[in-house]
Structures are given as C-alpha cells and as structure tokens.
Amino acid sequence: MMQNWILYACLQQLSRFYACSQLQYINAAICAPTPILRRFLEERAFERLDFISDLEVAMEGGDRENRVGPLMEEVFQRHLNLYGQNSLSMSGDGDFMDTDFKIIEICNLLLSHDLLPSFRRLLRYHLLKVESARLSMYYLKTLYP
C-alpha cells in the first residue's frame, strides 16, 4: 500500500502537470491553423480542467455530479494560489505531447499501487482520455501538418 504522503505528493505532481498541459493546449488552440484543430485542442484543455476539479472532489470525498462547477475567476485564482503568478506565463511553454506523456507515466505509477476504488476509477478514466488525445493528435498532425 502506498503511504498517504507519497500518494498525496504524486497527486499534487499530477495536478501540476495537468495545469501545465491545460495552458499548453490553450496556447496551441490560439495558434491552431484550422477550426477543427482549434476545437480539438480547446476540448483537451477543458478535459485537463475537469481532471483537476475531479481530483479535488475525490480528495475531499465529495460528489462532482451534485456540485456546480467553479467560475473561471475561481479557477484562475486557485491556479494563482497553487502555482504562483509566474506559472501562468511559464507553464504554457513547451510541447503538450511531452507533458501528456509525463501525465501517463504518473498515472501508471499510481495505478501500479493499491488505491481506493474511487481514485483508481478516476485515474483510469482520465488516463484513457489522455492516451486517446495523444493518438488523435498524431492523426491530426498528419492531416494538418
């Protein structure tokens, strides 16, 4: 069984990679050459935001379906509180494919240990989304080089 402090540290790191990935997808969407690619990248950014919210709810032991989502201002403020002002400009740099690969590594590391069923389901669900996004991105890069 993974010790709680190790689990917490891994989940915090995973949350940071998701926040970074979200900003990278937003930046890529802004520069996307086609509307289809732009929409795809925007959807991936929202998936990353969903995971961060889902993770917080799971850690608090709440139920996401019975909760109203946060306002964009709350998300922005939470990001500032967690990562600081400089992270908003710095974390958007880089390749989201590399960041997503790190997310996959951390999820697989966590899934290799005994976890509560709610965490295991959450990680598997979002891991599937990240892996399918990576495969879709490879395909889209061949269509829109």
Side-chain angles (χ1 to χ4, degrees), residues 7-128:
L7 174 62
Y8 182 77
C10 287
L11 291 173
Q12 285 288 22
Q13 187 67 21
L14 187 60
S15 179
R16 288 177 191 264
F17 274 110
Y18 262 89
C20 180
S21 178
Q22 177 190 3
L23 291 174
Q24 289 170 332
Y25 275 107
I26 289 169
N27 287 340
I30 290 168
C31 301
T34 66
I36 292 173
L37 191 54
R38 179 184 200 112
R39 181 70 183 144
F40 174 82
L41 295 167
E42 288 171 351
E43 287 175 7
R44 301 300 71 78
F46 280 110
E47 281 179 4
R48 303 310 180 262
L49 177 61
D50 286 345
F51 175 78
I52 294 168
S53 296
D54 289 346
L55 184 59
E56 288 176 357
V57 169
M59 290 174 85
E60 294 168 1
D63 182 10
R64 190 174 202 282
E65 275 111 35
N66 296 325
R67 182 172 76 91
V68 176
L71 300 173
M72 190 54 72
E73 293 81 15
E74 293 171 328
V75 172
F76 178 75
Q77 190 57 48
R78 186 180 321 141
H79 188 94
L80 285 177
N81 293 342
L82 286 173
Y83 309 114
Q85 179 68 35
N86 291 336
S87 72
L88 291 173
S89 59
M90 291 176 14
S91 64
D93 297 337
D95 184 8
F96 53 82
M97 297 291 278
D98 291 339
T99 305
D100 281 356
F101 183 74
K102 290 293 185 188
I103 288 170
I104 291 169
E105 284 183 331
I106 294 171
C107 283
N108 283 326
L109 171 70
L110 288 167
L111 288 169
S112 70
H113 293 83
D114 290 332
L115 298 172
L116 292 173
S118 60
F119 278 112
R120 184 169 290 285
R121 279 190 304 272
L122 176 66
L123 289 174
R124 282 188 178 152
Y125 175 72
H126 283 282
L127 179 60
L128 179 63

Side-chain angles (χ1 to χ4, degrees), residues 124-142:
R124 282 188 178 152
Y125 175 72
H126 283 282
L127 179 60
L128 179 63
K129 286 185 169 215
V130 172
E131 288 174 334
S132 65
R134 283 178 55 85
L135 289 173
S136 298
M137 195 63 223
Y138 284 122
Y139 175 71
L140 288 170
K141 281 186 174 184
T142 62

